[in-house]
Short mmCIF file of all heavy atoms in Angstrom, two decimals:
data_model
loop_
_atom_site.label_atom_id
_atom_site.label_comp_id
_atom_site.label_asym_id
_atom_site.label_seq_id
_atom_site.Cartn_x
_atom_site.Cartn_y
_atom_site.Cartn_z
N ILE B 37 -13.91 18.78 11.37
CA ILE B 37 -14.68 17.53 11.00
C ILE B 37 -15.04 16.86 12.28
O ILE B 37 -16.21 16.16 12.34
CB ILE B 37 -13.92 16.58 10.09
CG1 ILE B 37 -14.86 15.68 9.33
CG2 ILE B 37 -12.82 15.81 10.88
CD1 ILE B 37 -14.22 14.86 8.23
N PRO B 47 -22.43 11.79 18.00
CA PRO B 47 -21.10 12.38 17.93
C PRO B 47 -20.16 11.38 17.21
O PRO B 47 -20.26 10.25 17.37
CB PRO B 47 -20.72 12.57 19.26
CG PRO B 47 -21.82 12.05 20.15
CD PRO B 47 -22.92 11.56 19.44
N VAL B 63 -3.49 23.14 8.77
CA VAL B 63 -3.15 22.45 7.54
C VAL B 63 -4.02 23.03 6.43
O VAL B 63 -3.50 23.32 5.30
CB VAL B 63 -3.16 20.95 7.73
CG1 VAL B 63 -3.08 20.31 6.30
CG2 VAL B 63 -2.08 20.47 8.61
N CYS B 74 0.36 32.49 -3.63
CA CYS B 74 1.49 32.36 -4.52
C CYS B 74 1.41 31.08 -5.53
O CYS B 74 2.41 30.48 -5.72
CB CYS B 74 2.78 32.27 -3.62
SG CYS B 74 2.83 31.00 -2.47
N ALA B 92 8.26 28.15 -1.45
CA ALA B 92 7.31 27.48 -0.36
C ALA B 92 7.55 25.98 -0.58
O ALA B 92 7.44 25.29 0.51
CB ALA B 92 5.84 27.91 -0.67
N THR B 118 2.71 4.39 -1.29
CA THR B 118 2.59 3.33 -2.30
C THR B 118 3.50 3.84 -3.55
O THR B 118 4.28 2.93 -4.11
CB THR B 118 1.16 3.22 -2.81
OG1 THR B 118 0.33 2.82 -1.67
CG2 THR B 118 1.03 2.22 -3.86
N ALA B 135 20.40 -2.55 -18.01
CA ALA B 135 21.65 -3.31 -18.03
C ALA B 135 21.56 -4.50 -18.98
O ALA B 135 22.63 -4.75 -19.64
CB ALA B 135 22.00 -3.85 -16.62
N ALA B 165 1.12 -2.69 -0.07
CA ALA B 165 1.97 -1.67 -0.80
C ALA B 165 3.48 -1.96 -0.62
O ALA B 165 4.26 -1.53 -1.45
CB ALA B 165 1.60 -0.21 -0.16
N LYS B 176 9.55 -9.82 -12.76
CA LYS B 176 10.16 -9.18 -13.95
C LYS B 176 11.56 -9.45 -14.13
O LYS B 176 12.07 -9.48 -15.24
CB LYS B 176 9.95 -7.58 -13.87
CG LYS B 176 8.51 -7.17 -14.09
CD LYS B 176 8.38 -5.72 -14.20
CE LYS B 176 8.15 -5.08 -12.88
NZ LYS B 176 7.89 -3.71 -12.87
N LEU B 181 11.56 -14.10 -4.09
CA LEU B 181 10.98 -13.41 -2.95
C LEU B 181 11.03 -14.33 -1.79
O LEU B 181 10.53 -15.42 -1.78
CB LEU B 181 9.44 -12.97 -3.28
CG LEU B 181 8.91 -12.06 -2.21
CD1 LEU B 181 9.44 -10.68 -2.34
CD2 LEU B 181 7.40 -12.14 -2.24
N ALA B 212 12.93 -5.31 2.38
CA ALA B 212 11.73 -4.34 2.62
C ALA B 212 10.89 -4.73 3.74
O ALA B 212 10.37 -5.79 3.80
CB ALA B 212 10.98 -4.16 1.29
N ALA B 326 2.26 19.69 -0.42
CA ALA B 326 3.53 19.60 0.25
C ALA B 326 3.61 20.75 1.29
O ALA B 326 4.10 20.51 2.43
CB ALA B 326 4.77 19.67 -0.71
N LEU B 336 2.34 19.00 14.57
CA LEU B 336 2.84 17.93 15.36
C LEU B 336 4.00 18.36 16.39
O LEU B 336 3.94 18.02 17.56
CB LEU B 336 3.31 16.76 14.57
CG LEU B 336 2.08 15.97 13.84
CD1 LEU B 336 2.71 15.09 12.72
CD2 LEU B 336 1.27 15.17 14.89
N ALA B 397 -16.16 -9.42 11.34
CA ALA B 397 -15.68 -7.99 11.44
C ALA B 397 -16.63 -7.03 10.81
O ALA B 397 -16.84 -5.86 11.31
CB ALA B 397 -14.22 -7.87 11.02
N SER B 434 -7.69 2.52 15.53
CA SER B 434 -6.36 3.22 15.61
C SER B 434 -6.53 4.69 16.07
O SER B 434 -7.52 5.30 15.78
CB SER B 434 -5.73 3.12 14.10
OG SER B 434 -6.58 3.66 13.20
N VAL B 437 -3.78 11.90 17.77
CA VAL B 437 -3.70 13.07 18.74
C VAL B 437 -5.06 13.62 19.31
O VAL B 437 -5.08 14.12 20.32
CB VAL B 437 -2.91 14.18 18.14
CG1 VAL B 437 -1.44 13.72 18.03
CG2 VAL B 437 -3.39 14.72 16.86
N ASN B 439 -7.66 11.76 19.77
CA ASN B 439 -8.50 10.70 20.50
C ASN B 439 -8.12 10.77 21.98
O ASN B 439 -7.06 10.97 22.33
CB ASN B 439 -8.25 9.19 20.03
CG ASN B 439 -8.78 9.13 18.50
OD1 ASN B 439 -7.95 8.81 17.67
ND2 ASN B 439 -10.00 9.32 18.33
#
Side-chain angles (χ1 to χ4, degrees):
Chain B
I37 202 172
V63 167
C74 62
T118 301
K176 285 187 273 190
L181 186 78
L336 288 165
S434 49
V437 293
N439 293 121

